[in-house]
Amino acid sequence: MTRALQRIAAAVALSASLALPAAANLPSGGLGGFSLSPDGATLLAGGDNRVIYVIDAATFEVKDRIWSPAMPVWMDHSADGSLVYVLDSDDMLTAYAAADMSKKWEIQRVRDMAFRPEAQRIVIWKGSSGGSEIAVIDAATGAQTKTVSTPEGYPIDSAGLSDDGTMLYAITRQEKTEDETKEQPSNDLKGLDKEIFRKKHDAYAAKLLKIDLEAGTFDSTTSWYSASNFDDIRAVGDQVFYLKPGSDPMVTDTAGEVTMLDLQRTNADYAEISPDGAEIVAGDGGKVSFIPVGGGAPLTLGVDDLPGWFEKTQGFEYLPDGKVIAVTDGWRIVVIDRAAGTATAYPVY
């Protein structure tokens, strides 16, 4: 997704006070959903004040402000840049013409979804008879083109769409299992080894699914690993990454074997795979860490956190010149220039 994935998901948790994806990373006091136009010229960012900000990606100046009927919690562009998709806090998914923000189509009651611009399709799922009903949506017209269902015992918690839109990679909600005995890790276990032990001895398991949306079939692997509300689920080569901050990220191979990951950013807010699949990007307030997928030391750059504010990263965009934009709920855009080793914050108001 997979940016769509957890931007949508955290909001539903907040929607209880305010996952998925009816609002992952719902802004609690600042910017939430955002998207960079495919030409790299314009950044759209939604605020909890029900405003979509139109921002020049060269100067980071606000050029226009567009009213939204509800808080925009996720947004993205079509591959050709002609459409902008917005999911709001009322669970409404709307497609707008990018040129004038006129409404093209809308779908109600969307809480969980995945989107890949290259695939030109949106995938929405909801619980049904103990499993999940998956709807495939034509991203140009909003029309439902097919439905795929998982049976009882296979309710999807989080999922990500393949780049070509033919496969949905998913993890089910965790369930109790008698195959594990509940144990606490010993004091001599540290770091990632301790987290792996906890997962293998928490008496919970989950199923990892590969759902063929064309054939309407799926493969399932039961795993000792379980977690929920992922920021990004994405296939890179023969691996599938399941990313979220803290102690829960992991990667699977073709056999469904799980390897847990140490992002070295235990207090991070948001994590995703870079567009080229070469690195994991993790944000922590005004700071961003770049972690090579192939191994190696992470690079961390950023700005000081706002005083008195628990600032959270909402996600990232890569500019054509190689700079990386981090958007935060502190009404800030942080621009990372790795070549220069600098980071600059720009306020949005």
Side-chain angles (χ1 to χ4, degrees), residues 92-136:
M92 180 75 77
L93 176 64
T94 306
Y96 297 94
D100 59 7
M101 294 301 285
S102 59
K103 185 185 298 184
K104 307 310 274 183
W105 55 259
E106 65 182 22
I107 301 174
Q108 298 178 354
R109 295 184 294 278
V110 175
R111 296 185 68 84
D112 300 294
M113 59 166 284
F115 172 60
R116 296 298 297 173
E118 304 89 339
Q120 300 185 49
R121 60 172 43 171
I122 296 166
V123 175
I124 299 168
W125 64 93
K126 61 182 179 180
S128 176
S129 301
S132 290
E133 182 179 284
I134 304 162
V136 180

Side-chain angles (χ1 to χ4, degrees), residues 228-241:
S228 60
N229 292 338
F230 289 87
D231 291 341
D232 195 14
I233 297 177
R234 183 169 166 202
V236 178
D238 292 331
Q239 297 178 303
V240 180
F241 287 83

Side-chain angles (χ1 to χ4, degrees), residues 273-292:
I273 289 282
S274 62
D276 63 3
E279 61 190 3
I280 298 170
V281 197
D284 185 0
K287 296 178 176 59
V288 178
S289 292
F290 302 91
I291 305 158

Side-chain angles (χ1 to χ4, degrees), residues 196-271:
I196 292 172
F197 186 93
R198 283 175 174 162
K199 286 291 184 186
K200 289 185 174 182
H201 299 85
D202 61 0
Y204 282 93
K207 297 180 180 70
L208 303 176
L209 308 180
K210 294 182 180 179
I211 302 167
D212 188 325
L213 297 174
E214 303 306 306
T217 59
F218 72 92
D219 294 325
S220 171
T221 302
T222 300
S223 175
W224 51 267
Y225 175 94
S226 63
S228 60
N229 292 338
F230 289 87
D231 291 341
D232 195 14
I233 297 177
R234 183 169 166 202
V236 178
D238 292 331
Q239 297 178 303
V240 180
F241 287 83
Y242 290 71
L243 299 181
K244 61 183 298 185
S247 60
D248 287 321
M250 66 90 165
V251 60
T252 66
D253 60 17
T254 53
E257 290 294 324
V258 169
T259 300
M260 290 187 66
L261 302 171
D262 182 3
L263 298 189
Q264 303 180 46
R265 300 289 289 172
T266 56
N267 295 317
D269 306 316
Y270 186 87

Side-chain angles (χ1 to χ4, degrees), residues 12-150:
V12 184
L14 279 168
S15 88
S17 65
L18 145 162
L20 184 75
N25 286 5
L26 183 66
S28 58
L31 300 178
F34 63 94
S35 179
L36 181 70
S37 61
D39 62 7
T42 303
L43 180 72
L44 300 180
D48 72 343
N49 55 355
R50 298 194 295 182
V51 169
I52 297 174
Y53 294 89
V54 182
I55 300 166
D56 187 314
T59 64
F60 303 103
E61 295 179 87
V62 175
K63 296 298 185 182
D64 199 4
R65 297 167 181 83
I66 299 167
W67 177 80
S68 174
M71 288 181 283
V73 297
W74 170 85
M75 65 178 69
D76 211 337
H77 282 79
S78 60
D80 64 4
S82 63
L83 294 176
V84 176
Y85 309 100
V86 178
L87 181 65
D88 65 33
S89 56
D90 286 342
D91 301 341
M92 180 75 77
L93 176 64
T94 306
Y96 297 94
D100 59 7
M101 294 301 285
S102 59
K103 185 185 298 184
K104 307 310 274 183
W105 55 259
E106 65 182 22
I107 301 174
Q108 298 178 354
R109 295 184 294 278
V110 175
R111 296 185 68 84
D112 300 294
M113 59 166 284
F115 172 60
R116 296 298 297 173
E118 304 89 339
Q120 300 185 49
R121 60 172 43 171
I122 296 166
V123 175
I124 299 168
W125 64 93
K126 61 182 179 180
S128 176
S129 301
S132 290
E133 182 179 284
I134 304 162
V136 180
I137 307 297
D138 184 310
T141 65
Q144 182 172 316
T145 61
K146 62 179 62 181
T147 301
V148 178
S149 296
T150 62

